[in-house]
PDB file of all heavy atoms in Angstrom:
ATOM      1  N   MET A   1      -2.325  -8.456-133.157  1.00 97.00           N
ATOM      2  CA  MET A   1      -1.327  -7.422-133.391  1.00 97.00           C
ATOM      3  C   MET A   1      -1.411  -6.932-134.831  1.00 97.00           C
ATOM      4  O   MET A   1      -0.430  -6.457-135.407  1.00 97.00           O
ATOM      5  CB  MET A   1       0.080  -7.974-133.104  1.00 97.00           C
ATOM      6  CG  MET A   1       0.285  -8.368-131.655  1.00 97.00           C
ATOM      7  SD  MET A   1       1.970  -8.985-131.312  1.00 97.00           S
ATOM      8  CE  MET A   1       1.845 -10.625-132.045  1.00 97.00           C
ATOM      9  N   MET A   2      -2.611  -7.032-135.414  1.00 96.00           N
ATOM     10  CA  MET A   2      -2.785  -6.725-136.830  1.00 96.00           C
ATOM     11  C   MET A   2      -2.874  -5.238-137.109  1.00 96.00           C
ATOM     12  O   MET A   2      -2.184  -4.711-137.979  1.00 96.00           O
ATOM     13  CB  MET A   2      -4.043  -7.407-137.383  1.00 96.00           C
ATOM     14  CG  MET A   2      -3.934  -8.905-137.545  1.00 96.00           C
ATOM     15  SD  MET A   2      -5.386  -9.602-138.366  1.00 96.00           S
ATOM     16  CE  MET A   2      -5.213  -8.909-140.008  1.00 96.00           C
ATOM     17  N   TYR A   3      -3.749  -4.546-136.417  1.00 91.00           N
ATOM     18  CA  TYR A   3      -4.176  -3.236-136.878  1.00 91.00           C
ATOM     19  C   TYR A   3      -3.497  -2.104-136.133  1.00 91.00           C
ATOM     20  O   TYR A   3      -3.378  -2.121-134.909  1.00 91.00           O
ATOM     21  CB  TYR A   3      -5.693  -3.108-136.761  1.00 91.00           C
ATOM     22  CG  TYR A   3      -6.420  -4.167-137.553  1.00 91.00           C
ATOM     23  CD1 TYR A   3      -7.157  -5.159-136.919  1.00 91.00           C
ATOM     24  CD2 TYR A   3      -6.325  -4.186-138.947  1.00 91.00           C
ATOM     25  CE1 TYR A   3      -7.806  -6.139-137.661  1.00 91.00           C
ATOM     26  CE2 TYR A   3      -6.967  -5.160-139.692  1.00 91.00           C
ATOM     27  CZ  TYR A   3      -7.706  -6.132-139.038  1.00 91.00           C
ATOM     28  OH  TYR A   3      -8.328  -7.101-139.777  1.00 91.00           O
ATOM     29  N   GLY A   4      -3.076  -1.087-136.892  1.00 93.00           N
ATOM     30  CA  GLY A   4      -2.454   0.091-136.302  1.00 93.00           C
ATOM     31  C   GLY A   4      -3.496   1.108-135.888  1.00 93.00           C
ATOM     32  O   GLY A   4      -3.471   2.262-136.353  1.00 93.00           O
ATOM     33  N   MET A   5      -4.408   0.705-135.023  1.00 95.00           N
ATOM     34  CA  MET A   5      -5.458   1.614-134.551  1.00 95.00           C
ATOM     35  C   MET A   5      -5.070   2.187-133.189  1.00 95.00           C
ATOM     36  O   MET A   5      -4.417   1.510-132.392  1.00 95.00           O
ATOM     37  CB  MET A   5      -6.793   0.873-134.437  1.00 95.00           C
ATOM     38  CG  MET A   5      -7.327   0.348-135.756  1.00 95.00           C
ATOM     39  SD  MET A   5      -8.993  -0.342-135.611  1.00 95.00           S
ATOM     40  CE  MET A   5      -8.705  -1.755-134.547  1.00 95.00           C
ATOM     41  N   PRO A   6      -5.465   3.412-132.913  1.00 97.00           N
ATOM     42  CA  PRO A   6      -5.233   3.954-131.573  1.00 97.00           C
ATOM     43  C   PRO A   6      -5.971   3.128-130.521  1.00 97.00           C
ATOM     44  O   PRO A   6      -6.999   2.501-130.799  1.00 97.00           O
ATOM     45  CB  PRO A   6      -5.811   5.372-131.666  1.00 97.00           C
ATOM     46  CG  PRO A   6      -5.842   5.692-133.120  1.00 97.00           C
ATOM     47  CD  PRO A   6      -6.097   4.392-133.813  1.00 97.00           C
ATOM     48  N   ASP A   7      -5.436   3.136-129.325  1.00 97.00           N
ATOM     49  CA  ASP A   7      -6.057   2.406-128.222  1.00 97.00           C
ATOM     50  C   ASP A   7      -7.315   3.149-127.759  1.00 97.00           C
ATOM     51  O   ASP A   7      -7.225   4.302-127.324  1.00 97.00           O
ATOM     52  CB  ASP A   7      -5.052   2.302-127.068  1.00 97.00           C
ATOM     53  CG  ASP A   7      -5.537   1.388-125.955  1.00 97.00           C
ATOM     54  OD1 ASP A   7      -6.739   1.099-125.897  1.00 97.00           O
ATOM     55  OD2 ASP A   7      -4.692   0.969-125.135  1.00 97.00           O
ATOM     56  N   PRO A   8      -8.495   2.506-127.831  1.00 96.00           N
ATOM     57  CA  PRO A   8      -9.724   3.188-127.383  1.00 96.00           C
ATOM     58  C   PRO A   8      -9.670   3.641-125.935  1.00 96.00           C
ATOM     59  O   PRO A   8     -10.334   4.605-125.562  1.00 96.00           O
ATOM     60  CB  PRO A   8     -10.813   2.125-127.591  1.00 96.00           C
ATOM     61  CG  PRO A   8     -10.260   1.189-128.609  1.00 96.00           C
ATOM     62  CD  PRO A   8      -8.779   1.168-128.380  1.00 96.00           C
ATOM     63  N   ALA A   9      -8.874   2.946-125.124  1.00 96.00           N
ATOM     64  CA  ALA A   9      -8.765   3.345-123.721  1.00 96.00           C
ATOM     65  C   ALA A   9      -8.121   4.716-123.555  1.00 96.00           C
ATOM     66  O   ALA A   9      -8.228   5.331-122.490  1.00 96.00           O
ATOM     67  CB  ALA A   9      -7.951   2.296-122.947  1.00 96.00           C
ATOM     68  N   LEU A  10      -7.474   5.196-124.620  1.00 97.00           N
ATOM     69  CA  LEU A  10      -6.789   6.479-124.550  1.00 97.00           C
ATOM     70  C   LEU A  10      -7.572   7.603-125.215  1.00 97.00           C
ATOM     71  O   LEU A  10      -7.102   8.740-125.255  1.00 97.00           O
ATOM     72  CB  LEU A  10      -5.400   6.359-125.191  1.00 97.00           C
ATOM     73  CG  LEU A  10      -4.452   5.364-124.515  1.00 97.00           C
ATOM     74  CD1 LEU A  10      -3.191   5.167-125.340  1.00 97.00           C
ATOM     75  CD2 LEU A  10      -4.093   5.835-123.106  1.00 97.00           C
ATOM     76  N   PHE A  11      -8.751   7.305-125.747  1.00 97.00           N
ATOM     77  CA  PHE A  11      -9.566   8.369-126.332  1.00 97.00           C
ATOM     78  C   PHE A  11      -9.993   9.352-125.229  1.00 97.00           C
ATOM     79  O   PHE A  11     -10.480   8.928-124.177  1.00 97.00           O
ATOM     80  CB  PHE A  11     -10.825   7.811-126.990  1.00 97.00           C
ATOM     81  CG  PHE A  11     -10.570   6.989-128.231  1.00 97.00           C
ATOM     82  CD1 PHE A  11     -11.503   6.069-128.663  1.00 97.00           C
ATOM     83  CD2 PHE A  11      -9.409   7.140-128.965  1.00 97.00           C
ATOM     84  CE1 PHE A  11     -11.284   5.312-129.805  1.00 97.00           C
ATOM     85  CE2 PHE A  11      -9.172   6.398-130.097  1.00 97.00           C
ATOM     86  CZ  PHE A  11     -10.103   5.469-130.529  1.00 97.00           C
ATOM     87  N   PRO A  12      -9.877  10.646-125.451  1.00 96.00           N
ATOM     88  CA  PRO A  12     -10.269  11.623-124.429  1.00 96.00           C
ATOM     89  C   PRO A  12     -11.775  11.907-124.476  1.00 96.00           C
ATOM     90  O   PRO A  12     -12.205  13.041-124.733  1.00 96.00           O
ATOM     91  CB  PRO A  12      -9.443  12.856-124.813  1.00 96.00           C
ATOM     92  CG  PRO A  12      -9.343  12.769-126.306  1.00 96.00           C
ATOM     93  CD  PRO A  12      -9.268  11.302-126.633  1.00 96.00           C
ATOM     94  N   ALA A  13     -12.567  10.880-124.246  1.00 95.00           N
ATOM     95  CA  ALA A  13     -14.015  10.979-124.458  1.00 95.00           C
ATOM     96  C   ALA A  13     -14.655  12.067-123.593  1.00 95.00           C
ATOM     97  O   ALA A  13     -15.437  12.893-124.088  1.00 95.00           O
ATOM     98  CB  ALA A  13     -14.670   9.626-124.189  1.00 95.00           C
ATOM     99  N   ASP A  14     -14.340  12.084-122.304  1.00 95.00           N
ATOM    100  CA  ASP A  14     -14.967  13.060-121.411  1.00 95.00           C
ATOM    101  C   ASP A  14     -14.623  14.485-121.831  1.00 95.00           C
ATOM    102  O   ASP A  14     -15.487  15.374-121.847  1.00 95.00           O
ATOM    103  CB  ASP A  14     -14.522  12.816-119.971  1.00 95.00           C
ATOM    104  CG  ASP A  14     -15.020  11.493-119.414  1.00 95.00           C
ATOM    105  OD1 ASP A  14     -15.972  10.931-119.998  1.00 95.00           O
ATOM    106  OD2 ASP A  14     -14.447  11.014-118.418  1.00 95.00           O
ATOM    107  N   GLU A  15     -13.372  14.696-122.180  1.00 95.00           N
ATOM    108  CA  GLU A  15     -12.941  16.032-122.580  1.00 95.00           C
ATOM    109  C   GLU A  15     -13.574  16.452-123.905  1.00 95.00           C
ATOM    110  O   GLU A  15     -13.896  17.627-124.110  1.00 95.00           O
ATOM    111  CB  GLU A  15     -11.417  16.078-122.679  1.00 95.00           C
ATOM    112  CG  GLU A  15     -10.696  15.902-121.348  1.00 95.00           C
ATOM    113  CD  GLU A  15     -10.474  14.438-120.978  1.00 95.00           C
ATOM    114  OE1 GLU A  15     -11.042  13.555-121.674  1.00 95.00           O
ATOM    115  OE2 GLU A  15      -9.762  14.173-120.003  1.00 95.00           O
ATOM    116  N   LEU A  16     -13.772  15.492-124.806  1.00 95.00           N
ATOM    117  CA  LEU A  16     -14.411  15.805-126.079  1.00 95.00           C
ATOM    118  C   LEU A  16     -15.886  16.154-125.906  1.00 95.00           C
ATOM    119  O   LEU A  16     -16.426  16.991-126.635  1.00 95.00           O
ATOM    120  CB  LEU A  16     -14.264  14.638-127.062  1.00 95.00           C
ATOM    121  CG  LEU A  16     -12.909  14.537-127.767  1.00 95.00           C
ATOM    122  CD1 LEU A  16     -12.807  13.244-128.555  1.00 95.00           C
ATOM    123  CD2 LEU A  16     -12.699  15.732-128.704  1.00 95.00           C
ATOM    124  N   VAL A  17     -16.537  15.520-124.940  1.00 95.00           N
ATOM    125  CA  VAL A  17     -17.927  15.879-124.635  1.00 95.00           C
ATOM    126  C   VAL A  17     -18.002  17.344-124.202  1.00 95.00           C
ATOM    127  O   VAL A  17     -18.860  18.112-124.667  1.00 95.00           O
ATOM    128  CB  VAL A  17     -18.499  14.957-123.538  1.00 95.00           C
ATOM    129  CG1 VAL A  17     -19.826  15.509-123.010  1.00 95.00           C
ATOM    130  CG2 VAL A  17     -18.697  13.551-124.070  1.00 95.00           C
ATOM    131  N   LYS A  18     -17.087  17.748-123.340  1.00 94.00           N
ATOM    132  CA  LYS A  18     -17.071  19.145-122.871  1.00 94.00           C
ATOM    133  C   LYS A  18     -16.723  20.101-124.018  1.00 94.00           C
ATOM    134  O   LYS A  18     -17.308  21.181-124.135  1.00 94.00           O
ATOM    135  CB  LYS A  18     -16.067  19.293-121.735  1.00 94.00           C
ATOM    136  CG  LYS A  18     -16.408  18.475-120.491  1.00 94.00           C
ATOM    137  CD  LYS A  18     -15.281  18.525-119.463  1.00 94.00           C
ATOM    138  CE  LYS A  18     -15.592  17.633-118.273  1.00 94.00           C
ATOM    139  NZ  LYS A  18     -14.455  17.589-117.307  1.00 94.00           N
ATOM    140  N   ALA A  19     -15.778  19.697-124.869  1.00 94.00           N
ATOM    141  CA  ALA A  19     -15.401  20.547-125.998  1.00 94.00           C
ATOM    142  C   ALA A  19     -16.561  20.709-126.967  1.00 94.00           C
ATOM    143  O   ALA A  19     -16.791  21.800-127.509  1.00 94.00           O
ATOM    144  CB  ALA A  19     -14.191  19.948-126.715  1.00 94.00           C
ATOM    145  N   THR A  20     -17.318  19.632-127.169  1.00 93.00           N
ATOM    146  CA  THR A  20     -18.478  19.703-128.056  1.00 93.00           C
ATOM    147  C   THR A  20     -19.531  20.652-127.498  1.00 93.00           C
ATOM    148  O   THR A  20     -20.135  21.443-128.236  1.00 93.00           O
ATOM    149  CB  THR A  20     -19.076  18.301-128.245  1.00 93.00           C
ATOM    150  OG1 THR A  20     -18.083  17.442-128.804  1.00 93.00           O
ATOM    151  CG2 THR A  20     -20.278  18.346-129.173  1.00 93.00           C
ATOM    152  N   ALA A  21     -19.741  20.587-126.200  1.00 93.00           N
ATOM    153  CA  ALA A  21     -20.699  21.508-125.569  1.00 93.00           C
ATOM    154  C   ALA A  21     -20.258  22.958-125.743  1.00 93.00           C
ATOM    155  O   ALA A  21     -21.078  23.840-126.039  1.00 93.00           O
ATOM    156  CB  ALA A  21     -20.864  21.161-124.096  1.00 93.00           C
ATOM    157  N   ARG A  22     -18.954  23.211-125.589  1.00 91.00           N
ATOM    158  CA  ARG A  22     -18.459  24.571-125.758  1.00 91.00           C
ATOM    159  C   ARG A  22     -18.611  25.048-127.204  1.00 91.00           C
ATOM    160  O   ARG A  22     -18.830  26.237-127.458  1.00 91.00           O
ATOM    161  CB  ARG A  22     -16.988  24.672-125.335  1.00 91.00           C
ATOM    162  CG  ARG A  22     -16.752  24.498-123.849  1.00 91.00           C
ATOM    163  CD  ARG A  22     -15.373  24.990-123.440  1.00 91.00           C
ATOM    164  NE  ARG A  22     -14.299  24.277-124.148  1.00 91.00           N
ATOM    165  CZ  ARG A  22     -13.743  23.151-123.713  1.00 91.00           C
ATOM    166  NH1 ARG A  22     -14.183  22.574-122.594  1.00 91.00           N
ATOM    167  NH2 ARG A  22     -12.763  22.590-124.400  1.00 91.00           N
ATOM    168  N   ALA A  23     -18.503  24.106-128.146  1.00 89.00           N
ATOM    169  CA  ALA A  23     -18.635  24.471-129.562  1.00 89.00           C
ATOM    170  C   ALA A  23     -20.060  24.879-129.924  1.00 89.00           C
ATOM    171  O   ALA A  23     -20.293  25.435-130.988  1.00 89.00           O
ATOM    172  CB  ALA A  23     -18.199  23.301-130.442  1.00 89.00           C
ATOM    173  N   LEU A  24     -21.010  24.597-129.023  1.00 90.00           N
ATOM    174  CA  LEU A  24     -22.414  24.912-129.293  1.00 90.00           C
ATOM    175  C   LEU A  24     -22.974  25.903-128.278  1.00 90.00           C
ATOM    176  O   LEU A  24     -24.174  25.924-128.001  1.00 90.00           O
ATOM    177  CB  LEU A  24     -23.243  23.616-129.265  1.00 90.00           C
ATOM    178  CG  LEU A  24     -22.833  22.530-130.262  1.00 90.00           C
ATOM    179  CD1 LEU A  24     -23.661  21.261-130.039  1.00 90.00           C
ATOM    180  CD2 LEU A  24     -23.003  23.017-131.690  1.00 90.00           C
ATOM    181  N   GLN A  25     -22.128  26.761-127.739  1.00 88.00           N
ATOM    182  CA  GLN A  25     -22.553  27.634-126.656  1.00 88.00           C
ATOM    183  C   GLN A  25     -23.383  28.831-127.109  1.00 88.00           C
ATOM    184  O   GLN A  25     -24.192  29.339-126.351  1.00 88.00           O
ATOM    185  CB  GLN A  25     -21.323  28.131-125.864  1.00 88.00           C
ATOM    186  CG  GLN A  25     -20.809  27.103-124.868  1.00 88.00           C
ATOM    187  CD  GLN A  25     -19.622  27.643-124.080  1.00 88.00           C
ATOM    188  OE1 GLN A  25     -18.971  28.587-124.494  1.00 88.00           O
ATOM    189  NE2 GLN A  25     -19.346  27.044-122.930  1.00 88.00           N
ATOM    190  N   ASN A  26     -23.146  29.317-128.322  1.00 78.00           N
ATOM    191  CA  ASN A  26     -23.895  30.483-128.773  1.00 78.00           C
ATOM    192  C   ASN A  26     -24.281  30.308-130.237  1.00 78.00           C
ATOM    193  O   ASN A  26     -23.828  29.383-130.906  1.00 78.00           O
ATOM    194  CB  ASN A  26     -23.079  31.764-128.571  1.00 78.00           C
ATOM    195  CG  ASN A  26     -21.718  31.676-129.264  1.00 78.00           C
ATOM    196  OD1 ASN A  26     -21.669  31.569-130.489  1.00 78.00           O
ATOM    197  ND2 ASN A  26     -20.647  31.727-128.493  1.00 78.00           N
ATOM    198  N   GLN A  27     -25.128  31.204-130.738  1.00 79.00           N
ATOM    199  CA  GLN A  27     -25.683  31.037-132.071  1.00 79.00           C
ATOM    200  C   GLN A  27     -24.607  31.063-133.158  1.00 79.00           C
ATOM    201  O   GLN A  27     -24.653  30.296-134.113  1.00 79.00           O
ATOM    202  CB  GLN A  27     -26.722  32.121-132.354  1.00 79.00           C
ATOM    203  CG  GLN A  27     -27.496  31.914-133.642  1.00 79.00           C
ATOM    204  CD  GLN A  27     -28.191  30.554-133.697  1.00 79.00           C
ATOM    205  OE1 GLN A  27     -28.875  30.171-132.746  1.00 79.00           O
ATOM    206  NE2 GLN A  27     -28.007  29.818-134.780  1.00 79.00           N
ATOM    207  N   ALA A  28     -23.612  31.928-132.989  1.00 78.00           N
ATOM    208  CA  ALA A  28     -22.545  31.994-133.984  1.00 78.00           C
ATOM    209  C   ALA A  28     -21.770  30.687-134.030  1.00 78.00           C
ATOM    210  O   ALA A  28     -21.440  30.162-135.105  1.00 78.00           O
ATOM    211  CB  ALA A  28     -21.604  33.153-133.676  1.00 78.00           C
ATOM    212  N   ALA A  29     -21.495  30.126-132.831  1.00 77.00           N
ATOM    213  CA  ALA A  29     -20.772  28.863-132.775  1.00 77.00           C
ATOM    214  C   ALA A  29     -21.609  27.734-133.362  1.00 77.00           C
ATOM    215  O   ALA A  29     -21.098  26.859-134.069  1.00 77.00           O
ATOM    216  CB  ALA A  29     -20.382  28.548-131.333  1.00 77.00           C
ATOM    217  N   VAL A  30     -22.912  27.746-133.068  1.00 84.00           N
ATOM    218  CA  VAL A  30     -23.808  26.724-133.615  1.00 84.00           C
ATOM    219  C   VAL A  30     -23.807  26.774-135.137  1.00 84.00           C
ATOM    220  O   VAL A  30     -23.740  25.747-135.820  1.00 84.00           O
ATOM    221  CB  VAL A  30     -25.236  26.903-133.064  1.00 84.00           C
ATOM    222  CG1 VAL A  30     -26.227  26.050-133.848  1.00 84.00           C
ATOM    223  CG2 VAL A  30     -25.291  26.548-131.583  1.00 84.00           C
ATOM    224  N   THR A  31     -23.862  27.981-135.693  1.00 84.00           N
ATOM    225  CA  THR A  31     -23.856  28.123-137.152  1.00 84.00           C
ATOM    226  C   THR A  31     -22.569  27.579-137.739  1.00 84.00           C
ATOM    227  O   THR A  31     -22.574  26.841-138.733  1.00 84.00           O
ATOM    228  CB  THR A  31     -24.035  29.586-137.539  1.00 84.00           C
ATOM    229  OG1 THR A  31     -25.288  30.050-137.028  1.00 84.00           O
ATOM    230  CG2 THR A  31     -24.010  29.754-139.051  1.00 84.00           C
ATOM    231  N   ASP A  32     -21.432  27.930-137.137  1.00 84.00           N
ATOM    232  CA  ASP A  32     -20.144  27.446-137.632  1.00 84.00           C
ATOM    233  C   ASP A  32     -20.055  25.924-137.578  1.00 84.00           C
ATOM    234  O   ASP A  32     -19.486  25.294-138.464  1.00 84.00           O
ATOM    235  CB  ASP A  32     -18.994  28.041-136.818  1.00 84.00           C
ATOM    236  CG  ASP A  32     -18.772  29.510-137.141  1.00 84.00           C
ATOM    237  OD1 ASP A  32     -19.242  29.958-138.200  1.00 84.00           O
ATOM    238  OD2 ASP A  32     -18.136  30.201-136.317  1.00 84.00           O
ATOM    239  N   ALA A  33     -20.606  25.327-136.519  1.00 87.00           N
ATOM    240  CA  ALA A  33     -20.463  23.890-136.317  1.00 87.00           C
ATOM    241  C   ALA A  33     -21.477  23.074-137.113  1.00 87.00           C
ATOM    242  O   ALA A  33     -21.154  21.968-137.567  1.00 87.00           O
ATOM    243  CB  ALA A  33     -20.587  23.556-134.830  1.00 87.00           C
ATOM    244  N   LEU A  34     -22.688  23.591-137.288  1.00 91.00           N
ATOM    245  CA  LEU A  34     -23.763  22.769-137.841  1.00 91.00           C
ATOM    246  C   LEU A  34     -24.157  23.128-139.272  1.00 91.00           C
ATOM    247  O   LEU A  34     -24.896  22.374-139.912  1.00 91.00           O
ATOM    248  CB  LEU A  34     -25.001  22.862-136.941  1.00 91.00           C
ATOM    249  CG  LEU A  34     -24.805  22.410-135.493  1.00 91.00           C
ATOM    250  CD1 LEU A  34     -26.126  22.444-134.741  1.00 91.00           C
ATOM    251  CD2 LEU A  34     -24.208  21.000-135.431  1.00 91.00           C
ATOM    252  N   GLN A  35     -23.668  24.247-139.782  1.00 89.00           N
ATOM    253  CA  GLN A  35     -23.965  24.611-141.169  1.00 89.00           C
ATOM    254  C   GLN A  35     -22.946  23.939-142.098  1.00 89.00           C
ATOM    255  O   GLN A  35     -21.925  23.425-141.647  1.00 89.00           O
ATOM    256  CB  GLN A  35     -23.913  26.139-141.308  1.00 89.00           C
ATOM    257  CG  GLN A  35     -24.341  26.709-142.651  1.00 89.00           C
ATOM    258  CD  GLN A  35     -25.728  26.279-143.065  1.00 89.00           C
ATOM    259  OE1 GLN A  35     -25.873  25.191-143.633  1.00 89.00           O
ATOM    260  NE2 GLN A  35     -26.723  27.121-142.773  1.00 89.00           N
ATOM    261  N   TYR A  36     -23.262  23.938-143.412  1.00 91.00           N
ATOM    262  CA  TYR A  36     -22.253  23.481-144.374  1.00 91.00           C
ATOM    263  C   TYR A  36     -20.969  24.273-144.157  1.00 91.00           C
ATOM    264  O   TYR A  36     -20.988  25.487-143.986  1.00 91.00           O
ATOM    265  CB  TYR A  36     -22.735  23.691-145.807  1.00 91.00           C
ATOM    266  CG  TYR A  36     -23.844  22.750-146.224  1.00 91.00           C
ATOM    267  CD1 TYR A  36     -25.132  23.228-146.448  1.00 91.00           C
ATOM    268  CD2 TYR A  36     -23.591  21.404-146.393  1.00 91.00           C
ATOM    269  CE1 TYR A  36     -26.154  22.370-146.834  1.00 91.00           C
ATOM    270  CE2 TYR A  36     -24.606  20.532-146.782  1.00 91.00           C
ATOM    271  CZ  TYR A  36     -25.889  21.024-146.998  1.00 91.00           C
ATOM    272  OH  TYR A  36     -26.882  20.167-147.390  1.00 91.00           O
ATOM    273  N   GLY A  37     -19.824  23.575-144.192  1.00 90.00           N
ATOM    274  CA  GLY A  37     -18.557  24.233-143.911  1.00 90.00           C
ATOM    275  C   GLY A  37     -17.845  24.703-145.168  1.00 90.00           C
ATOM    276  O   GLY A  37     -18.265  24.421-146.300  1.00 90.00           O
TER     277      GLY A  37
END
């Protein structure tokens, strides 16, 4: 009961995979995501 970490079982992993794919759908999005911010 030591650490105040979020429960890994509640991470929205599947949804984040889909969101990541959407973030890389076109060249403009790729530039925004992968270039220096």
Side-chain angles (χ1 to χ4, degrees):
M1 296 181 285
M2 288 186 67
Y3 302 113
M5 297 187 295
D7 188 342
L10 298 172
F11 292 158
D14 294 342
E15 294 86 351
L16 280 172
V17 168
K18 297 173 184 176
T20 301
R22 292 196 301 271
L24 301 175
Q25 280 182 340
N26 56 63
Q27 188 56 49
V30 168
T31 300
D32 287 342
L34 301 185
Q35 186 56 276
Y36 289 111

